[in-house]
Amino acid sequence: MSTFPYQDRYDVNRRLPEGGRSREEILGELQAMAKEEDAFWETGKCSGTMYCGDHDHYHFLTDAFGLFAHVNSLQRDMCPSSTKFEAEIIAMTLDLLHAEAVHDTEPAGLVTTGGTGSIAHAMLAYREHARQEHGITRPNVVKPETAHPAFDKACHLFGIELRRAPVHPETTLVDVDWVDNHIDDQTVAIIGSACNYGYGTVDPIATLSDVALEHGVGLHVDGCLGGFILPFGKELGYDIPLFDYRVPGVTSISADTHKYGYALKGTSVLTFRDKALRNAQYFFVTDWSGGKYCSPGMEGSRSGGLLAATWASMVYFGREGYRNHARRIFETAETMQDAVRSHAELRILGRPTFLFSFTSDAFDVYHVNDFMRLRGWRFNGQQYPNALHMAVTRPQTQAEVAEAFAVDLDDAVSYAHEHKDAAPRSGAIYGGVAGGMTGEADAFIKAVMADMMDGYQQIPPEG
Ligand SMILES: *Cc1c(COP(=O)(O)O)cnc(C)c1O
């Protein structure tokens, strides 16, 4: 797909227009683009990313957003509503994650801009707290290889050494003995995912908790993806291990409201067992000529609209609404997994939940992807081994989507057999699509990825 498909249809702005345009015309242009782009995922054939997909709900959220979009929630004297929204978002999330099980410390939270934001703030909090309390100056963190790259990014940004623990190839779960053996006196935290992005599997949080308690280090549970759906899956009777504050060694959990909380993009909740950990990363400048400055996290000004819309989404659904959507999502995920299991040449990795990943030992599974793309499906591609992942969201719960998946998959498996001696066209890039690059030199792969990113934010080329 071209990076600039609108080039020929609309004016390209290389400088501010001298005279402004009419609102009507601008909105018309925006509506046309939004409508076309929404049509792509409304079919239900796109993995993840559109967690809600209900335009009625989006209208409701944008109404809520619009009332406070212009408000700067950093300036609370002017917007006590932001304090109500943020406090209640945190309280409701802590409750969902069973913070009532915490007795010796005061649980707390922070609303951030997304999963990466929550993970970054958690890593910063562990680093700062360990420095302040234990004089740790060369901090390290141990993560399962399957944990999200946001941990790598946070460690990169904050000068934390990251140790990557291998996972068991069959279960995809972290090798806890490896983690245990790689904790030292500079380790500030270990990580577990509930669930991980790649395979939808839940790390053995209870065992990681034993290790964390034994060594006196933190345990962050990445519930960015699962935080707002796994608790309801568990209530519905699905076999999901405990991963919340009822596990005594869990010291922080991230849960994305902008995923299965069905809020607008741009919010996530980072919760802490102990307020002292959150407060360790508070930022202050007391001697600035512009005034005394403080901020609870990395952001400065934040839109009150995002807090209002996130709050609105949570109180609109309530436990019952979330549970009902979780039921349909888990059922759809089971139907789709049954379709995969009906093919002896396909293999589901580990014991997944609402998100599953499959590979093949008979052919390169990217052949399946090549074919499914022609039928309008968009999966996320993985590597080591090559695999395709499907995060089931509400758009897939529409009538006949799971059935279409089974039918298309049958044809895709035949196609893969026929083409198994050729190289597949698609390959693994998170959140994007690129040519098969497995086995290329790292520098070359980075150059291709940099080109791709350049393309996303380049000055519009001369038409
Ligand atoms: C999405 C995701 C993240 C990162 O979240 P962003 O919102 O993309 O910044 C982290 N961990 C897991 C498991 C995720 O699925």
Side-chain angles (χ1 to χ4, degrees):
M1 199 180 88
S2 155
T3 315
F4 292 100
Y6 303 114
Q7 178 125 283
D8 305 328
R9 283 155 57 187
Y10 304 119
D11 285 345
V12 175
N13 298 286
R14 292 189 179 81
R15 55 169 59 136
L16 278 174
E18 186 52 40
R21 296 166 57 191
S22 79
R23 287 179 180 163
E24 222 173 34
E25 192 186 295
I26 295 168
L27 287 174
E29 196 172 312
L30 293 174
Q31 272 154 7
M33 289 189 278
K35 198 157 182 260
E36 276 177 38
E37 293 176 12
D38 283 344
F40 181 81
W41 58 262
E42 282 166 349
T43 60
K45 293 182 173 180
C46 179
S47 166
T49 189
M50 297 296 165
Y51 294 87
C52 170
D54 172 356
H55 284 289
D56 235 30
H57 184 62
Y58 292 151
H59 288 311
F60 164 64
L61 294 185
T62 43
D63 281 351
F65 176 79
L67 292 169
F68 297 92
H70 50 284
V71 169
N72 182 358
S73 60
L74 194 59
Q75 275 140 18
R76 290 296 165 92
D77 56 317
M78 292 172 66
C79 57
S81 58
S82 282
T83 303
K84 171 181 167 65
F85 302 145
E86 187 155 30
E88 293 183 16
I89 292 167
I90 292 167
M92 290 187 281
T93 308
L94 280 168
D95 179 61
L96 189 62
L97 299 172
H98 288 280
E100 82 283 348
V102 177
H103 296 298
D104 44 349
T105 54
E106 187 185 340
L110 196 64
V111 177
T112 72
T113 55
T116 302
S118 285
I119 288 167
H121 281 91
M123 296 303 103
L124 182 60
Y126 283 112
R127 185 191 79 175
E128 292 301 287
H129 190 260
R131 188 173 54 76
Q132 293 159 19
E133 299 296 317
H134 308 293
I136 288 179
T137 51
R138 291 175 291 107
N140 70 68
V141 159
V142 190
K143 80 156 202 175
E145 192 281 331
T146 46
H148 197 275
F151 291 100
D152 303 60
K153 187 191 275 185
C155 289
H156 166 70
L157 290 171
F158 301 141
I160 299 169
E161 181 201 340
L162 181 67
R163 302 179 174 174
R164 286 200 210 166
V167 301
H168 295 286
E170 285 303 314
T171 62
T172 75
L173 302 181
V174 69
D175 180 342
V176 179
D177 288 337
W178 195 100
V179 175
D180 194 9
N181 291 331
H182 287 77
I183 294 174
D184 59 24
D185 64 352
Q186 297 292 304
T187 302
V188 298
I190 61 176
I191 315 297
S193 305
C195 53
N196 59 55
Y197 164 88
Y199 303 120
T201 50
V202 181
D203 282 315
I205 304 299
T207 324
L208 288 170
S209 161
D210 292 343
V211 170
L213 289 172
E214 189 194 320
H215 291 274
V217 300
L219 168 57
H220 178 82
V221 173
D222 183 8
C224 282
L225 196 54
F228 280 91
I229 184 166
L230 290 179
F232 299 105
K234 201 164 170 57
E235 279 182 29
L236 292 167
Y238 288 94
D239 181 18
I240 296 160
L242 275 192
F243 64 89
D244 55 35
Y245 289 110
R246 287 172 291 182
V247 185
V250 172
T251 46
S252 58
I253 309 176
S254 47
D256 288 358
T257 32
H258 74 184
K259 286 180 179 160
Y260 291 96
Y262 311 126
L264 295 176
K265 283 286 183 258
T267 61
S268 167
V269 187
L270 172 58
T271 63
F272 299 90
R273 175 178 291 270
D274 184 355
K275 184 177 162 182
L277 182 57
R278 175 193 68 183
N279 291 16
Q281 57 81 54
Y282 274 179
F283 186 76
F284 309 92
V285 178
T286 54
D287 58 352
W288 181 43
S289 59
K292 296 194 194 313
Y293 181 93
C294 62
S295 60
M298 285 185 281
E299 290 79 26
S301 300
R302 289 190 295 153
S303 171
L306 282 174
L307 292 173
T310 300
W311 178 86
S313 187
M314 293 174 82
V315 297
Y316 170 74
F317 287 113
R319 297 187 70 94
E320 192 183 9
Y322 282 123
R323 194 183 304 114
N324 286 337
H325 289 304
R327 178 182 294 114
R328 284 192 278 274
I329 288 170
F330 272 88
E331 283 170 5
T332 305
E334 291 224 314
T335 307
M336 294 175 96
Q337 287 176 50
D338 287 344
V340 175
R341 288 199 186 92
S342 74
H343 296 279
E345 359 4 27
L346 301 180
R347 181 162 59 85
I348 290 183
L349 291 147
R351 283 185 47 237
T353 49
F354 56 90
L355 178 170
F356 61 91
S357 167
F358 60 99
T359 185
S360 174
D361 303 320
F363 42 69
D364 187 335
V365 78
Y366 280 105
H367 285 301
V368 170
N369 194 45
D370 286 350
F371 182 88
M372 294 296 268
R373 273 163 72 173
L374 301 175
R375 294 270 172 100
W377 293 93
R378 182 183 186 272
F379 302 119
N380 300 83
Q382 295 166 250
Q383 53 190 351
Y384 320 122
N386 284 358
L388 301 178
H389 115 176
M390 178 80 206
V392 179
T393 58
R394 285 175 57 193
Q396 281 84 57
T397 64
Q398 300 173 95
E400 285 159 35
V401 174
E403 290 77 3
F405 174 77
V407 170
D408 292 341
L409 191 64
D410 282 349
D411 295 344
V413 167
S414 307
Y415 171 93
H417 274 299
E418 283 159 29
H419 292 78
K420 71 172 192 287
D421 297 325
R425 286 192 300 277
S426 51
I429 280 200
Y430 181 101
V433 276
M437 293 197 299
T438 336
E440 302 286 353
D442 195 51
F444 173 75
I445 294 173
K446 283 180 182 157
V448 171
M449 290 162 87
D451 270 356
M452 182 185 83
M453 292 189 285
D454 279 356
Y456 294 162
Q457 45 225 327
Q458 71 183 295
I459 308 289
E462 295 298 328

